[in-house]
Amino acid sequence: MQIVYSRVSTATQSLLRQRHILTEAGLLVRTEGVAEGFRPADGVLLFEDPATTSKIPALDRPEFGKIAAKAHPGDTLTVSELFRLCRDLLDIHAVRNWCHARGVALRVLSGPLSNFHDLAAGDATTAVIINVITAVGQFQRDIQNELTVEGIAAAEAEGRYRGRPPALDGDRREDVRAAFHEGTSIAALARAHGVSRAAVRTALADLLPGQGALPRPSA
């Protein structure tokens, strides 16, 4: 069985690029008259985590839990790009160990690791190359993050940086907070308002556990 996993970090990002890569590999098929325009090819199971930050380890994500229930020895877990699955060395080793323990091959379709038939293989060569490539990628992201922070700090010092406006403000923010008080989940609120779960958590920051909940709003 071919198992395919896709992920984007926010509700505003699209899975389209990943779907194109997976279609070129024969894992997805274009479908006319369907909103998404793609379906899994025969013998392929597709799992997608939309609006799921990479800060959540791969093994803890909602759809990965479903993969665990479906995967069997001899299956292959495929992602279009490595960072859609793992962001750092610790995470990729956790996924490699997970795959190796279950006899599941791990494959990436693009990037420097795309030539490997099985990234979960236990040989020393595969492990060393993964360590080097992942460490370099992490270093590049860290440098970019540092430059971004420095740029924001410089802009703030000159009074030019205002930051991104909140996705939920005014009446929408109050509606979200009231619905949360009534028991509506963060995921349901995100779907209802067309925003990411992170945006909902920001609107609810002082109401969440450990943040000191405010009194229930009056009717």
Side-chain angles (χ1 to χ4, degrees):
M1 179 71 69
Q2 292 280 350
I3 299 172
V4 171
Y5 176 79
S6 299
R7 179 193 64 82
V8 288
S9 298
T10 69
T12 59
Q13 292 178 323
S14 172
L15 290 161
L16 190 59
R17 170 182 165 79
Q18 296 172 71
R19 289 171 178 160
H20 280 305
I21 295 174
L22 294 166
T23 299
E24 290 177 359
L27 297 170
L28 296 185
V29 177
R30 292 185 179 276
T31 306
E32 298 295 335
V34 177
E36 296 295 335
F38 299 87
R39 66 169 175 81
D42 292 340
V44 174
L45 294 178
L46 175 63
F47 298 88
E48 296 179 336
D49 266 324
T52 303
T53 174
S54 61
K55 294 180 181 179
I56 300 175
L59 300 183
D60 293 339
R61 296 173 196 156
E63 289 300 297
F64 211 95
K66 297 178 183 178
I67 292 175
K70 296 290 186 179
H72 297 92
D75 290 347
T76 298
L77 171 61
T78 301
V79 293
S80 60
E81 300 153 301
L82 182 62
F83 72 90
R84 299 300 181 182
L85 179 62
C86 306
R87 271 293 190 180
D88 55 37
L89 197 55
L90 183 64
D91 205 15
I92 191 172
H93 278 307
V95 173
R96 288 185 72 237
N97 292 338
W98 183 93
C99 289
H100 188 71
R102 289 162 177 77
V104 174
L106 176 61
R107 188 173 167 225
V108 175
L109 296 179
S110 61
L113 294 174
S114 59
N115 291 327
F116 283 80
H117 177 70
D118 181 12
L119 291 175
D123 62 284
T125 301
T126 300
V128 168
I129 293 177
I130 287 175
N131 286 349
V132 171
I133 291 177
T134 306
V136 169
Q138 183 63 51
F139 175 74
Q140 291 175 331
R141 286 191 295 272
D142 290 344
I143 291 295
Q144 184 60 51
N145 289 340
E146 287 180 11
L147 293 174
T148 300
V149 170
E150 290 175 2
I152 291 174
E156 286 178 335
E158 296 177 7
R160 294 185 288 106
Y161 183 74
R162 296 293 181 269
R164 181 181 297 176
L168 294 168
D169 57 7
D171 291 342
R172 292 182 73 200
R173 179 175 181 271
E174 294 308 314
D175 288 345
V176 164
R177 291 163 69 85
F180 182 72
H181 270 302
E182 298 300 322
T184 307
S185 70
I186 289 176
L189 288 169
R191 288 193 298 270
H193 289 268
V195 299
S196 68
R197 296 179 208 180
V200 175
R201 292 190 184 96
T202 298
L204 300 173
D206 56 328
L207 305 181
L208 297 176
Q211 301 297 321
L214 295 179
R216 183 184 296 270
S218 58

